[in-house]
Amino acid sequence: VGPGDPELLTLRAIRAIEASDLIVHPGRDDRAGIAYEVVSELVRSTQRVRGMALAMMRGRDDGSVGYDRVAGALVEEARNGHRAVFLTEGDPMLYGTGSYVVERLKVLAADLAFEVIPGVSALGAVAARLGWPLARKDEILTVCPGTYHVDEIGAILDRGGPVCWFKSADVLPRLIDELAARGRLDDAVLVERVGHPAERVFFDLRDAAGQNLSYFSLVLVR
Ligand SMILES: C[S@@+](CC[C@H](N)C(=O)[O-])C[C@H]1O[C@@H](n2cnc3c(N)ncnc32)[C@H](O)[C@@H]1O
């Protein structure tokens, strides 16, 4: 469903959602949650909606929670002759829940047709929001889930090239220290909830450090 702005849904995603009998999403409540809210205007009252309460991990994710339940619900619906969609935030295959559900579907339902619909990632949305290129010419773009690599932040910055830090809210103090040590604080911007009405952009990371930042925060360094 992209990063949060309904205008960043793809036509294919809209068609799939409109054609589905069951809409499964990661939120706790059936008709609420980050991913569901992006599509809520499209959903008809006759469509069934199930929030499957997948844990959104701020820290390290043990990679187990709820994916079997999601895949099971999709397969059951399909075996009953209906269509189902599973919503994921951003792009489903970039640190996305979709990748785990697809793994399960391949095992559970090799005989059933399913499709992964790509979405606008927070990565592209943040670059567009800032008007900053992600990578040009010979540059190597590094994409890093910060919480998994806290002790490598300095080394990653030293490699050079643009770096996109997913899961950056909890590692922000360390990121600030490592950038400051290299005189590179001005090279970084943090965008919280890009594309959402609550979006915030911090051109100075130190201003973000004192805030109660959302898990949906991304830092781009160039
Ligand atoms: C598990 S990853 C999911 C990434 C998602 N699949 C994508 O393609 O954007 C979650 C991380 O993505 C980033 N993220 C996702 N949506 C965001 C948004 N709307 N604004 C800023 N960062 C976002 C944050 O860094 C967050 O910690």
Side-chain angles (χ1 to χ4, degrees):
V1 301
D5 180 347
E7 293 203 353
L8 294 180
L9 282 163
T10 65
L11 289 176
R12 192 176 289 204
I14 292 172
R15 285 187 190 129
I17 290 162
E18 287 179 341
S20 64
D21 303 290
L22 173 69
I23 297 166
V24 177
H25 65 86
R28 290 193 186 285
D29 300 312
D30 286 346
R31 289 189 184 253
I34 296 263
Y36 179 74
E37 275 160 21
V38 184
V39 307
S40 60
E41 297 285 306
L42 297 172
V43 180
R44 300 182 304 278
S45 57
T46 50
Q47 290 175 294
R48 284 171 289 123
V49 181
R50 274 174 72 186
M52 298 209 79
L54 299 191
M56 288 288 167
M57 299 287 175
R58 280 189 76 99
R60 293 171 72 101
D61 174 348
D62 72 4
S64 64
V65 269
Y67 308 128
D68 291 316
R69 277 189 294 128
V70 171
L74 300 177
V75 169
E76 187 187 340
E77 194 70 8
R79 297 227 183 273
N80 287 330
H82 299 139
R83 285 171 184 266
V85 290
F86 173 54
L87 310 180
T88 72
E89 173 276 328
D91 180 89
M93 305 305 261
L94 186 65
Y95 305 123
T97 335
S99 58
Y100 304 108
V101 173
V102 163
E103 260 172 20
R104 268 87 171 161
L105 288 180
K106 284 181 181 164
V107 175
L108 274 176
D111 58 316
L112 293 174
F114 67 86
E115 181 187 4
V116 181
I117 300 176
V120 174
S121 170
L123 174 70
V126 163
R129 172 70 181 81
L130 299 172
W132 284 19
L134 282 176
R136 285 199 284 208
K137 292 189 179 169
D138 59 345
E139 288 177 337
I140 297 174
L141 170 67
T142 303
V143 179
C144 178
T147 40
Y148 293 89
H149 299 282
V150 189
D151 293 331
E152 296 151 72
I153 289 176
I156 290 170
L157 290 172
D158 288 340
R159 276 193 222 156
V163 188
C164 173
W165 302 91
F166 281 79
K167 297 197 174 198
S168 51
D170 290 346
V171 302
L172 193 58
R174 182 70 179 269
L175 195 48
I176 290 172
D177 287 349
E178 300 287 357
L179 284 164
R182 290 161 180 77
R184 294 194 58 196
L185 267 176
D186 290 345
D187 298 347
V189 175
L190 183 146
V191 184
E192 181 189 36
R193 304 211 62 188
V194 65
H196 187 271
E199 174 185 290
R200 292 193 291 178
V201 180
F202 296 93
F203 289 98
D204 186 331
L205 263 50
R206 290 166 298 188
D207 294 338
Q211 306 282 329
N212 185 19
L213 283 181
S214 155
Y215 164 76
F216 293 97
S217 298
L218 189 148
V219 173
L220 201 55
V221 177
R222 328 205 4 109

